[in-house]
Amino acid sequence: MKRKPRAPAWLLASTFAVTLPWLVTTGCSSDKPPAKGQLMVAFQTDMEIPKDVTSIRIQVTQLGLVRHDASYTLGPDQAKLPATLAIIAGERASDPVTIKLIAYRDSEAHVVQKITTTVPGDRIATLHMPVEWLCWDQVTGSGEDVDDNCGADATCVAGDCKDSHVDSSSLQTYTGKNVFGGASGPGAGGTCLDVLTCFSQGYQTPVDTSDCSVALPSGATDETTNVGLVLPLGNLGICSSSTCMVALTQDSWSGYTIENGRAKLPKSVCTKLAKQDALGVAVTSACPAKTSGIPTCGPWSSVTSLPGSFDAGAPDATLVHTDAGGDAPVDAQPEASEDANDGQVVILPAPELGRTCSSDAECGSLSCIKPSDTTLDGFGVTGGVCTASCDGDATVCGKYKTGSVCVDLNPATNGGKVCLESCTADDAGVQCSGRTDVACLSLKDSATGTMVNTCQPVCSASTNCGTSFCDLGSGLCTPTQPTGDTGTLGTECTGDGGTSTTCEGACKPFVDPGTQQTLVSCSGLCSLGSIGCGWDGASLPGNVACAWAADPNNQTIGAGGFCVELCDCQTTCANPSFQCTEFPQYLKGVYDPKWVGYCSPPFNPDGTPLAGAPC
């Protein structure tokens, strides 16, 4: 039977002394450390009080006899957490003592933890016993027989069953600073974690289920890393109007550890994700790390209670789930991944993939390749693009966003494989995150080896590359001025399609699909009727524009193309092997009325003979 709650004495003092047989008991207070030879038990919670936890019961037994058993009502006007309880050593300090913590919501027990240890005879040791969400409802029995479900010699810690016997010599020597957020006691100006505000500046990130770990935020250190769980709205945890969060503790015993640039989470986190008890894992580097000595902020806190309604927004919703064999979780966002549940990461849509960006912060869990970057073997991307590396796993891209593929944007140098959106011949600009500075170009899918249409950013001029320069031959931005003579687009050249020292862009072979006849001309990558060849899509271009389709089966505005010379009835094409050809229907009105056609080889992109000049 649950004990009747005591008066909220913890409002007056941070520490209580438990009197046991053969033990010497001394008085204690929040501003005076207790005598040496003690076990200081510290309690806090990662949940919201009193919404989730209304009271706790602390039972201390020794040699099978109950020496202390009391319940305490929690709340802003009741007992506050964190708090401590002192067990003081005497002549029989070597006899083990068992501390049992039971956390209730109303009259129902939801969290149980029990630890057996000894009381040091020569120092004050700290035993942390947090009320953790990961251990929620891992209980058996009821009333006086309530226990965790780990058996006689184990207990629930961070959601997993661990040995309940703790060697007191391994425990940290007590100081109030390691319980009350750096302060000597409650109300002394300690630091707490404002969970919602902190994680609203973070983002949700993929979980590697092979070891249940996540990557740290860029630039984060052990001291600035926070990892938390996103729970369904209206659930347990610290909640705002848009999200519920549980901040995990950076602690090898009751939380996660940082190893080789990743946060290794308790195994129970991946179990919770698989069961859909949690929606995802969020990371942030906006606040000091939550440790066993830094509690959460709230009106229930005995450390620092921040003013306000605790209504900060949710972390960036690139939702990530793991699945251990059941159905994939359903997210409110459309276009959920249809990948088979194979025990690996199942990632629901990352809406940022393919978008323009100027920093990683705009890309959620992805990275931003900026114009000034040299990520792609010395090249950057016009407008920036939110993406992820797929060098190690060419199949991962489809999990970030349905239909996305792994491609090498700089295949000439194997510049590094990244994830990009796929596209079709129709309305490519709308498909490619609404961008007009991209071309729907055919590139090799690294996962299958087949050619697929992919949304590739292409620069039209150096003004699109910030402090870098536009390399028309690759469509990428480069920190060095490309070689070659400007104004040569459309002229005849000699080369094999590689970089030319004379061409602005590259010496591009134009191949007749039917006869395999090849003619060459100075050209560059571009987006049909949209951008490229020095034209930004605003004012009419000079005498060069994007009009030759790179793929005969992909001819529409926004599809990939090559730069060619424009012409009218009086124009003589600079390349003597080319002739003036009337614009196809989809380009009519785009470059008119100044130009009536473009200079091209004497064959259509589909291989059929041309009719000649349009006038």
Side-chain angles (χ1 to χ4, degrees):
M1 181 177 181
K2 182 183 171 187
R3 291 288 187 271
K4 181 179 179 180
R6 286 182 51 175
W10 288 351
L11 294 175
L12 304 177
S14 66
T15 308
F16 295 92
V18 177
T19 304
L20 299 179
W22 318 297
L23 301 188
V24 178
T25 305
T26 63
C28 52
S29 66
S30 61
D31 57 356
K32 183 179 180 180
K36 289 187 176 182
Q38 301 181 28
L39 180 69
M40 192 71 70
V41 188
F43 308 96
Q44 62 163 280
T45 183
D46 53 18
M47 291 178 282
E48 188 172 325
I49 296 173
K51 174 176 72 69
D52 303 331
V53 182
T54 55
S55 65
I56 62 173
R57 176 182 172 185
I58 304 171
Q59 186 181 70
V60 181
T61 60
Q62 190 176 47
L63 300 179
L65 299 176
V66 176
R67 303 306 184 187
H68 177 84
D69 193 352
S71 295
Y72 303 89
T73 301
L74 305 180
D77 299 320
Q78 301 290 327
K80 295 186 178 184
L81 298 184
T84 55
L85 180 144
I87 303 175
I88 306 172
E91 295 179 359
R92 300 286 298 273
S94 61
D95 289 335
V97 59
T98 297
I99 305 98
K100 185 175 182 179
L101 166 69
I102 309 172
Y104 295 86
R105 183 167 64 181
D106 298 326
S107 60
E108 186 174 358
H110 289 280
V111 177
V112 176
Q113 187 181 95
K114 57 187 184 293
I115 298 294
T116 299
T117 187
T118 56
V119 181
D122 58 352
R123 68 187 184 100
I124 310 171
T126 307
L127 175 65
H128 290 279
M129 295 186 68
V131 180
E132 299 177 295
W133 176 81
L134 286 173
C135 286
W136 187 264
D137 278 348
Q138 294 193 38
V139 298
T140 60
S142 60
E144 294 298 311
D145 296 324
V146 68
D147 200 351
D148 59 30
N149 59 4
C150 292
D153 296 320
T155 192
C156 186
V157 179
D160 298 318
C161 289
K162 295 185 177 181
D163 189 348
S164 59
H165 297 83
V166 174
D167 184 351
S168 62
S169 66
S170 68
L171 297 176
Q172 184 182 40
T173 297
Y174 174 78
T175 171
K177 294 180 179 180
N178 292 331
V179 174
F180 298 101
S184 59
T191 298
C192 59
L193 179 70
D194 185 358
V195 174
L196 296 173
T197 299
C198 188
F199 280 98
S200 69
Q201 302 171 66
Y203 55 86
Q204 293 179 214
T205 190
V207 180
D208 182 347
T209 56
S210 66
D211 63 353
C212 203
S213 69
V214 296
L216 303 184
S218 177
T221 65
D222 293 10
E223 291 74 24
T224 61
T225 295
N226 275 292
V227 181
L229 303 179
V230 182
L231 307 186
L233 191 60
N235 208 295
L236 300 168
I238 299 176
C239 300
S240 70
S241 59
S242 60
T243 191
C244 289
M245 295 291 307
V246 165
L248 300 180
T249 300
Q250 191 180 129
D251 179 79
S252 59
W253 169 250
S254 61
Y256 66 92
T257 57
I258 294 179
E259 303 174 16
N260 300 319
R262 297 184 67 85
K264 189 171 183 179
L265 312 178
K267 292 183 297 183
S268 60
V269 169
C270 285
T271 302
K272 294 283 189 181
L273 290 167
K275 292 181 178 180
Q276 303 180 41
D277 293 334
L279 298 178
V281 174
V283 293
T284 179
S285 58
C287 311
K290 182 187 183 303
T291 64
S292 57
I294 297 183
T296 59
C297 298
W300 60 85
S301 175
S302 65
V303 177
T304 303
S305 182
L306 298 182
S309 60
F310 296 93
D311 198 29
D316 185 57
T318 302
L319 292 182
V320 178
H321 299 261
T322 59
D323 197 312
D327 293 333
V330 178
D331 176 41
Q333 301 182 60
E335 203 181 5
S337 171
E338 297 177 357
D339 287 9
N341 298 318
D342 56 2
Q344 300 302 310
V345 178
V346 179
I347 306 174
L348 294 184
E352 299 86 0
L353 184 67
R355 290 182 180 176
T356 60
C357 59
S358 58
S359 68
D360 288 343
E362 300 172 62
C363 295
S365 61
L366 307 178
S367 299
C368 177
I369 300 180
K370 301 180 287 295
S372 58
D373 285 345
T374 56
T375 306
L376 304 172
D377 195 26
F379 290 87
V381 174
T382 180
V385 64
C386 292
T387 185
S389 172
C390 52
D391 268 329
D393 182 3
T395 67
V396 73
C397 299
K399 299 177 181 179
Y400 281 109
K401 199 167 191 177
T402 300
S404 296
V405 293
C406 179
V407 296
D408 191 340
L409 277 180
N410 193 11
T413 60
N414 294 315
K417 298 179 179 65
V418 295
C419 299
L420 289 181
E421 297 169 288
S422 59
C423 51
T424 64
D426 300 321
D427 209 7
V430 174
Q431 298 171 61
C432 300
S433 293
R435 297 180 64 161
T436 58
D437 61 344
V438 299
C440 188
L441 278 162
S442 183
L443 296 173
K444 181 182 288 187
D445 181 351
S446 297
T448 63
T450 59
M451 301 300 289
V452 293
N453 288 321
T454 308
C455 299
Q456 177 177 335
V458 291
C459 57
S460 65
S462 292
T463 53
N464 300 125
C465 291
T467 58
S468 294
F469 302 91
C470 177
D471 177 58
L472 289 176
S474 64
L476 301 173
C477 298
T478 174
T480 58
Q481 176 75 57
T483 59
D485 299 328
T486 59
T488 57
L489 291 176
T491 62
E492 192 173 22
C493 60
T494 301
D496 58 1
T499 301
S500 170
T501 57
T502 57
C503 282
E504 180 184 7
C507 191
K508 161 68 183 170
F510 290 78
V511 181
D512 183 341
T515 66
Q516 297 302 304
Q517 176 188 2
T518 300
L519 297 174
V520 292
S521 184
C522 290
S523 187
L525 283 176
C526 54
S527 177
L528 289 172
S530 179
I531 193 171
C533 315
W535 186 44
D536 61 5
S539 57
L540 286 174
N543 67 329
V544 180
C546 192
W548 181 269
D551 181 356
N553 299 313
N554 192 7
Q555 299 184 52
T556 186
I557 298 296
F562 296 105
C563 301
V564 290
E565 187 183 10
L566 298 180
C567 56
D568 57 25
C569 295
Q570 288 73 45
T571 298
T572 299
C573 292
N575 189 326
S577 300
F578 283 21
Q579 65 181 30
C580 191
T581 304
E582 187 176 7
F583 289 127
Q585 188 62 41
Y586 66 88
L587 288 180
K588 287 186 180 295
V590 177
Y591 304 129
D592 294 346
K594 183 176 182 181
W595 307 105
V596 296
Y598 62 100
C599 292
S600 72
F603 44 82
N604 277 331
D606 62 4
T608 60
L610 291 174
C615 56

